[in-house]
């Protein structure tokens, strides 16, 4: 039956249930949105789209999720607002940016906390992840179990390679909107400016800042190599994306659709981790080929600088003994 306007139906005196008026015959029972800040070519979006497709098929079309990559719905700050008020149902967000609403969620971003991916997954699929998800839950959002990989972060600049902390003195660097990021780069002696990712390419292009820091998969897929010359492999923190849901929207789904959604996004998260690891292995050479000059600084002096600035003591006090020791139970003593 073709869709009729409400007026036509009323004029015809037809008594149809409200849902028949508002919804075409084959529309999904639930039409939700998922958004991210990353380019469509990044593995996070590719794997999220696959999950969405599996969910549609397995639910026989009852749950349709439309994907909005690349800040199409606004900046991270905007999208977090939309997620909280229910205008957006699903969103992937860095734990560090989420900390503007859930302060403990930045804990994985403590400078140089993780030695390698083994420690990252042991912490995030283990006690640190459980702790952070509990804190997210307390503030009315749902976080699925498997955090998605953003990666170990590296510094890029248009002006000079970063070899030692001295090279960061007064350096104008963009950081995402998060107190931990600002504190980390202040304590390293740099001049950080908070800018949402949606504005980063143009901020670099117009030289509002001279550098930024991100994992290789983003430097490549967001084409930051076009506006940056030097890539310094500082590995100064590990960052990941929580797959978040607005709780009211999630709980409106019947149990079987909740379970399906959780299972499929968790599965895609694990697959995305493998993709990003593979990219991290090969992208150094790709980026060299695209004109970047790559260097490998010794992390020890950067860590020393943070220690002397009181970075570890300050953040231990902020997170509290218990959270800090949860992190240390995996990575060893920090300071
Ligand atoms: O804003 C960034 O730099 C990004 C894309 O890595 C995050 O989402 C934290």
């Amino acid at each position: 039956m073709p869709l009729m306007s409400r007026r036509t139906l009323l004029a015809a005196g037809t008594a149809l249930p409200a849902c028949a008026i508002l919804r075409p015959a084959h529309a999904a029972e639930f039409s939700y949105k998922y958004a991210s800040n990353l380019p469509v070519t990044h593995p996070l979006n590719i794997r999220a789209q696959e999950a969405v497709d599996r969910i549609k098929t397995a639910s026989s079309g009852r749950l349709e999720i439309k994907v909005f990559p690349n800040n199409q719905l606004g900046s991270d700050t905007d999208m977090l607002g939309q997620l909280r008020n229910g205008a957006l149902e699903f969103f992937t967000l860095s734990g560090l940016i989420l900390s503007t609403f859930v302060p403990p969620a930045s804990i994985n971003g403590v400078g140089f906390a993780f030695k390698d991916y083994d420690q990252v997954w042991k912490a995030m699929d283990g006690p640190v992840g459980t702790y952070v998800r509990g804190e997210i839950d307390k503030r009315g959002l749902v976080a699925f179990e498997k955090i998605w990989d953003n990666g170990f972060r590296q510094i890029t600049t248009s002006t000079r390679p970063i070899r030692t902390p001295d090279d960061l003195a007064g350096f104008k660097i963009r950081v995402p909107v998060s107190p931990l990021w600002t504190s980390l780069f202040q304590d390293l002696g740099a001049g950080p400016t908070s800018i949402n990712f949606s504005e980063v390419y143009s901020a670099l292009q117009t030289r509002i800042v001279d550098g930024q820091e991100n994992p290789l998969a983003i430097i490549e897929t967001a084409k930051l190599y076009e506006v940056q010359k030097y890539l310094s492999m500082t590995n100064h923190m590990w960052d990941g994306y929580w797959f978040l849901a607005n709780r009211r929207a999630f709980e409106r789904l019947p149990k079987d659709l909740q379970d399906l959604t959780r299972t499929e996004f968790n599965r895609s998260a694990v697959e995305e981790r493998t993709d990003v690891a593979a990219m991290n292995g090969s992208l150094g050479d790709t980026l060299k080929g695209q004109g970047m000059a790559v260097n490998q600084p010794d992390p020890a002096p950067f860590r020393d600088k943070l220690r002397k600035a009181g970075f570890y003591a300050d953040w231990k006090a902020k997170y509290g003994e218990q959270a800090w020791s949860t992190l240390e139970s995996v990575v060893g003593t920090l300071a």
Side-chain angles (χ1 to χ4, degrees):
M1 179 184 84
L3 259 189
M4 283 187 273
S5 74
R6 195 184 172 90
R7 180 184 296 169
T8 318
L9 286 168
L10 291 176
T14 321
L16 284 178
C19 65
I21 297 174
L22 299 173
R23 197 153 61 75
H26 300 292
E29 223 171 297
F30 299 94
S31 289
Y32 280 7
K33 294 184 287 303
Y34 157 67
S36 83
N37 67 356
L38 289 184
V40 68
T41 50
H42 189 283
L44 175 133
N45 276 310
I46 295 168
R47 296 300 188 178
Q49 182 64 55
E50 289 175 2
V52 160
D53 293 343
R54 290 194 302 267
I55 290 165
K56 186 173 174 184
T57 306
S59 71
S60 308
R62 285 162 63 214
L63 173 55
E64 244 179 90
I65 303 170
K66 194 160 166 20
V67 180
F68 294 87
N70 213 17
N71 295 296
Q72 281 175 13
L73 298 186
S75 69
D76 276 331
T77 306
D78 299 328
M79 293 189 282
L80 178 57
Q82 293 163 17
L83 181 81
R84 288 175 58 188
N85 71 26
L88 175 63
E89 290 85 8
F90 296 114
F91 179 36
T92 36
L93 182 64
S94 159
L96 277 81
I97 301 177
L98 179 59
S99 79
T100 56
F101 176 50
V102 184
S106 64
I107 194 162
N108 62 266
V110 167
F112 302 98
F114 298 106
K115 188 169 88 238
D116 53 30
Y117 270 114
D118 281 351
Q119 284 191 345
V120 168
W121 304 132
K122 209 170 149 205
M124 303 315 290
D125 289 340
V128 177
T130 303
Y131 163 70
V132 171
R133 284 195 309 281
E135 295 296 314
I136 296 171
D137 183 67
K138 278 187 203 162
R139 286 159 183 90
L141 296 175
V142 175
F144 292 159
E145 290 72 13
K146 297 289 179 185
I147 193 168
W148 299 51
D149 192 17
N150 190 352
F152 281 90
R153 298 181 74 96
Q154 322 297 353
I155 299 177
T156 67
T157 88
S158 54
T159 50
R160 56 175 184 251
I162 305 302
R163 298 193 174 97
T164 70
D166 287 348
D167 294 318
L168 281 175
F171 184 74
K172 283 197 295 181
I173 187 166
R174 172 270 172 172
V175 293
V177 181
S178 170
L180 180 63
W181 249 304
T182 305
S183 153
L184 180 80
F185 278 91
Q186 271 168 354
D187 286 349
L188 285 170
T193 305
S194 305
I195 301 176
N196 271 299
F197 191 64
S198 47
E199 306 295 331
V200 166
Y201 187 97
S202 66
L204 295 169
Q205 194 172 34
T206 57
R207 302 280 181 119
I208 288 170
V209 286
D210 293 325
Q212 66 85 46
E213 44 81 63
N214 248 304
L216 297 186
I218 289 183
I219 297 168
E220 173 62 21
T221 56
K223 299 189 174 11
L224 300 185
Y225 57 83
E226 292 177 350
V227 287
Q228 296 282 272
K229 174 71 190 163
Y230 300 97
L231 167 58
S232 301
M233 301 288 289
T234 46
N235 288 298
H236 53 272
M237 73 161 71
W238 177 83
D239 181 32
Y241 285 93
W242 288 110
F243 201 102
L244 303 168
N246 170 282
R247 178 141 73 204
R248 291 180 307 282
F250 190 63
E251 289 179 352
R252 264 200 306 278
L253 299 174
K255 179 80 170 55
D256 66 319
L257 293 185
Q258 288 184 18
D259 291 347
L260 177 66
T261 308
R262 196 181 275 284
T263 304
E264 295 305 336
F265 284 117
N266 280 335
R267 172 179 156 191
S268 274
V270 172
E271 291 171 348
E272 184 261 7
R273 293 176 184 182
T274 310
D275 301 337
V276 172
M279 287 176 88
N280 284 341
S282 63
L283 279 180
D285 284 340
T286 310
L287 288 162
K288 265 186 212 160
Q290 286 160 333
M292 296 198 87
V294 184
N295 72 297
Q296 311 274 345
D298 174 6
F302 292 86
R303 230 180 139 141
D304 272 359
K305 175 114 189 175
L306 286 181
R307 192 176 298 122
K308 287 186 186 130
F311 175 85
Y312 295 100
D314 288 351
W315 283 93
K316 180 176 178 175
K318 287 198 180 101
Y319 292 122
E321 282 289 341
Q322 208 184 330
W324 195 259
S325 61
T326 304
L327 178 60
E328 287 191 332
S329 73
V330 178
V331 303
T333 305
L334 284 166

